Amino acid sequence: MNILDIIEKKKNRKELSNEEIDFFIKKYTSDEIPDYQAAALIMAICINGMTQDEIVSLTNSMASSGEILDLSEISNNIVDKHSTGGVGDKVTLIVSPIVSALGVPIAKMSGRGLGITGGTIDKLESIPGYKTNISIEDFKKNVKEIGISLIGQTLNLAPADKKIYALRDAISCTNSIPLIASSIMSKKIAAGASSIVLDVTCGNGAFMKDKEQALKLAKMMSLIGKWSNRKVTCILTNMDEPLGKNIGNSLEIIEAVEALNGNMAKDVKEVILTISAYMMKLSGKFSNISDNKKKALEVIKNGKALEKFKELVKAQGGDVTYIEDLDKFEKAPIITPVISEREGYVEKLDAGIIGRAGVDLGIGRMNKEDEIDSRVGIRLEKKIGDKVKKGSILAYVHANNPEKAENCIKEMLKAYKIGNKKVIKKNVLEII
Ligand code: URA
């Protein structure tokens, strides 16, 4: 067996065998296949797709490329969540401490930014000292002792996904159902989850641009879940406009902490309460969805969710004083407004344009090796449905140089469509 034959086969739209997929994953993980050959195969998969059997094999091989955690000593039902990615998606940072504060252990492995979508790990690393690459022992210890740990893919868990994820980001192969489904599900299986809530984002700022594609991805991940004996609930959420108000690494930590303090944007609240409620339900400890939402609100109100977030930050080496005093986060050197050129209602706020503008500012990476700037980003002052006057401030751009700030303002003006209709946006689209 050799990699050239495997690339040739996929290039010609033929089905790869389990052995061929496993060969590729093993050899690429151990650096015996170079990036350029892996890139050719990943591009062929992205263009030509995969059959259900191929996707299941790929997920299995990626999950087995490292250790598969056994968390049964902590709980026989570890509940996890994952998002298929979005712009301004700070859901994990808010939902995890809420659910953990309600006694459901959270042991979660998250990713870095991919394409225009941000990554929880990049966001957490904007908290000075926070370690995302702790040992498996410390990961388990934190879950056992404080009921929560959020880590990156630096452990030996699904290392094949870590390599392929970074490669996909650098070769524009992010929006592929087989690659997203196998990436997410391999991580969840490797991290020992038995029940999984998947936030399947849909719209301009997501990999799946329309509901039909999002449903296809959701069904594929549910099927992998069934095959691997995991309970899966998929929640389709709207990603036509960014979620919440802040986009950017430290800016999203700030918004998440504000949310845990009870100050949540309307769309964030709807998504957070729904995802928390379904995670609680899958844990088997809670049943009724509307009661679960009330309980989630209670732990925000009584401060327990924020306390849990602080415990997490402390346990992973982060400086909790930043969470207690959000002004301590270093600000970008340039903070400049985007001014509305007309009056009306915000009819559209294109998360795709904003995501790309954010990557140019330095929120995300153009190349695998790129450094990100945790200070930069965008603060949205007006969102879909809001009324604006000519001269109103639509948003603030946080930039690290004047040229980038100017470019971002131009893009932001393209992202905002101001018209005469008051649009009401639905945030949770479907639950399957
Ligand atoms: N999140 C992942 O972990 N992988 C993807 O491919 C997309 C989103």
Side-chain angles (χ1 to χ4, degrees):
M1 202 176 294
N2 73 69
I3 184 65
L4 288 182
D5 290 344
I6 296 174
I7 297 170
E8 185 66 19
K9 220 169 153 184
K10 192 38 68 187
K11 193 175 85 185
N12 293 321
R13 298 165 199 257
K14 301 223 172 81
E15 187 176 39
L16 300 178
S17 67
N18 195 12
E19 291 70 31
E20 285 164 330
I21 291 172
D22 207 45
F23 171 88
F24 163 65
I25 292 297
K26 284 209 173 88
K27 298 278 178 197
Y28 184 48
T29 310
S30 60
D31 295 327
E32 290 167 78
I33 290 175
D35 273 348
Y36 56 84
Q37 286 179 327
L41 180 60
I42 293 294
M43 182 60 82
I45 291 172
C46 195
I47 294 171
N48 293 333
M50 276 185 143
T51 63
Q52 209 164 287
D53 284 352
E54 285 179 303
I55 299 173
V56 170
S57 294
L58 182 60
T59 309
N60 195 13
S61 294
M62 279 164 56
S64 317
S65 63
E67 206 172 319
I68 297 197
L69 276 192
D70 176 5
L71 298 174
S72 54
E73 58 183 292
I74 296 164
S75 162
N76 55 12
N77 186 10
I78 291 282
V79 185
D80 203 344
K81 69 85 53 182
H82 206 88
S83 159
T84 58
V87 179
D89 178 355
K90 66 275 299 170
V91 172
T92 292
L93 298 166
I94 310 169
V95 145
S96 307
I98 291 176
V99 175
S100 170
L102 285 158
V104 178
I106 297 291
K108 176 159 169 51
M109 183 165 61
S110 288
R112 295 200 178 275
L114 183 68
I116 61 167
T117 68
T120 302
I121 290 309
D122 293 331
K123 293 168 200 179
L124 283 169
E125 286 179 353
S126 69
I127 304 170
Y130 190 103
K131 288 195 224 47
T132 54
N133 61 345
I134 56 176
S135 66
I136 290 185
E137 287 68 40
D138 285 345
F139 175 60
K140 283 188 182 172
K141 186 169 153 262
N142 288 351
V143 181
K144 238 186 195 166
E145 289 180 359
I146 62 166
I148 184 166
S149 187
L150 298 182
I151 54 159
Q153 259 177 295
T154 31
L155 304 179
N156 186 30
L157 297 176
D161 176 58
K162 187 174 178 228
K163 284 194 80 174
I164 294 172
Y165 192 86
L167 185 68
R168 282 168 56 209
D169 195 19
I171 61 169
S172 194
C173 282
T174 48
N175 59 343
S176 139
I177 291 180
L179 296 175
I180 296 174
S182 56
S183 163
I184 291 178
M185 293 306 284
S186 65
K187 275 197 284 277
K188 301 296 101 180
I189 293 168
S194 30
S195 305
I196 307 156
V197 174
L198 295 168
D199 178 358
V200 184
T201 52
C202 164
N204 293 328
F207 296 123
M208 300 298 112
K209 304 293 177 213
D210 56 48
K211 199 165 161 194
E212 196 189 329
Q213 287 297 304
L215 276 171
K216 240 187 190 172
L217 174 60
K219 284 184 184 147
M220 180 51 67
M221 292 193 289
S222 299
L223 199 122
I224 299 173
K226 211 179 253 171
W227 155 81
S228 57
N229 218 8
R230 264 78 176 174
K231 283 187 274 172
V232 174
T233 298
C234 292
I235 300 176
L236 263 65
T237 60
N238 190 332
M239 192 41 77
D240 274 330
E241 77 170 344
L243 187 71
K245 296 196 162 182
N246 290 3
I247 303 116
N249 294 300
S250 63
L251 285 173
E252 289 188 46
I253 293 285
I254 292 171
E255 186 173 4
V257 174
E258 283 168 350
L260 290 169
N261 259 315
N263 183 13
M264 262 186 266
K266 203 165 139 251
D267 55 352
V268 173
K269 189 168 180 180
E270 189 182 338
V271 171
I272 290 298
L273 293 183
T274 307
I275 293 179
S276 301
Y278 278 90
M279 288 176 79
M280 289 161 69
K281 184 169 180 190
L282 281 191
S283 77
K285 294 187 179 172
F286 305 88
S287 53
N288 184 287
I289 291 298
S290 78
D291 286 350
N292 295 355
K293 289 183 182 176
K294 285 186 197 134
K295 288 196 172 81
L297 281 172
E298 254 167 48
V299 288
I300 293 175
K301 220 171 172 184
N302 64 22
K304 287 189 179 161
L306 179 61
E307 214 33 60
K308 190 54 75 183
F309 188 65
K310 285 203 241 167
E311 276 180 62
L312 163 73
V313 170
K314 189 161 172 232
Q316 301 212 194
D319 186 344
V320 183
T321 63
Y322 279 72
I323 308 306
E324 288 162 349
D325 176 7
L326 295 171
D327 284 339
K328 280 186 86 169
F329 279 98
E330 194 185 342
K331 308 228 171 7
I334 299 167
I335 300 178
T336 182
V338 181
I339 309 282
S340 178
E341 292 166 345
R342 56 168 296 186
E343 182 168 326
Y345 290 99
V346 180
E347 285 184 358
K348 200 173 160 191
L349 181 49
D350 192 315
I353 297 180
I354 297 178
R356 284 186 288 281
V359 171
D360 290 341
L361 280 178
I363 296 174
R365 298 170 187 79
M366 297 292 278
N367 296 303
K368 244 170 46 154
E369 303 76 17
D370 282 355
E371 288 285 323
I372 54 168
D373 185 338
S374 68
R375 304 166 303 172
V376 300
I378 296 153
R379 160 103 184 156
L380 304 170
E381 295 296 330
K382 300 286 181 194
K383 297 207 41 171
I384 291 178
D386 287 346
K387 193 166 174 37
V388 298
K389 294 196 179 115
K390 189 174 174 190
S392 295
I393 295 177
L394 296 172
Y396 286 98
V397 170
H398 295 230
N400 56 19
N401 87 42
E403 197 187 325
K404 285 187 181 176
E406 270 317 301
N407 287 339
C408 187
I409 290 174
K410 277 189 204 132
E411 292 306 305
M412 290 301 294
L413 287 171
K414 285 185 211 156
Y416 273 97
K417 179 171 181 266
I418 315 280
N420 300 321
K421 272 196 300 230
K422 183 166 167 63
V423 176
I424 311 256
K425 191 187 71 163
K426 207 172 160 206
N427 300 301
V428 174
L429 305 175
E430 198 160 323
I431 296 170
I432 53 171

